[in-house]
Amino acid sequence: MDQVLCSKCGFEFPMNQHNEPVRTPCPKCGATARTIEASIHESVRLYDGLCYQIKDPKKTGKSKIKSEGFTKYAKSQKAPLVKHSRNIDRENNRYSESVVDAETGGVIHSCDEPLKKHTGHGSAKKKTT
């Protein structure tokens, strides 16, 4: 809480909405020096993410990645902060993705389907001219 105190005796002056042009003396000791006490309260939230790949050391190239995915927090047009998770499991032919509002827990987007049917997304979208 903000306070205005007499610097000499500690008398607490009542808070007013505008600054006084002439400083009135302290009614207790007569001093005009003031001490202003103010406090600021801040809070910080930290969010982390995880990214992974499971590889088959016997294979080469892109085929060596058996499974990959991530979980992260991000800004979105649908909500101020979302939790975005994706898992691509090539070994079991599975694609799953979810986007959840981090504040409310409401599902914004959810997809769970065979990986072979997950086409026409991202860079694989058909180009319109």
Side-chain angles (χ1 to χ4, degrees):
M1 186 163 135
D2 298 343
Q3 293 179 324
V4 179
L5 306 171
C6 173
S7 295
K8 188 173 180 185
C9 70
F11 174 80
E12 185 176 344
F13 289 89
M15 295 293 285
N16 59 5
Q17 284 150 321
H18 15 296
N19 297 332
E20 298 175 21
V22 178
R23 193 174 290 174
T24 57
C26 174
K28 198 170 175 183
C29 71
T32 56
R34 302 287 183 264
T35 300
I36 299 172
E37 293 181 356
S39 59
I40 299 172
H41 298 278
E42 295 276 339
S43 64
V44 176
R45 290 185 183 174
L46 300 176
Y47 298 95
D48 62 354
L50 170 72
C51 184
Y52 68 91
Q53 282 187 336
I54 300 171
K55 296 180 179 181
D56 184 350
K58 297 173 187 164
K59 295 183 179 178
T60 60
K62 226 177 183 183
S63 66
K64 81 186 301 184
I65 300 171
K66 296 182 343 183
S67 181
E68 65 182 309
F70 64 81
T71 297
K72 66 179 180 178
Y73 288 88
K75 293 182 179 181
S76 170
Q77 293 177 349
K78 304 274 182 180
L81 186 68
V82 296
K83 182 178 180 183
H84 186 187
S85 300
R86 181 182 301 152
N87 181 37
I88 301 169
D89 187 351
R90 290 178 183 84
E91 197 170 47
N92 296 310
N93 187 35
R94 203 83 210 145
Y95 176 91
S96 60
E97 180 179 37
S98 69
V99 179
V100 178
D101 186 323
E103 299 293 318
T104 65
V107 176
I108 296 170
H109 170 74
S110 180
C111 179
D112 188 10
E113 62 188 2
L115 182 58
K116 296 206 186 298
K117 288 189 176 182
H118 188 76
T119 59
H121 300 274
S123 63
K125 284 183 183 175
K126 291 189 178 185
K127 308 287 189 270
T128 57
T129 55

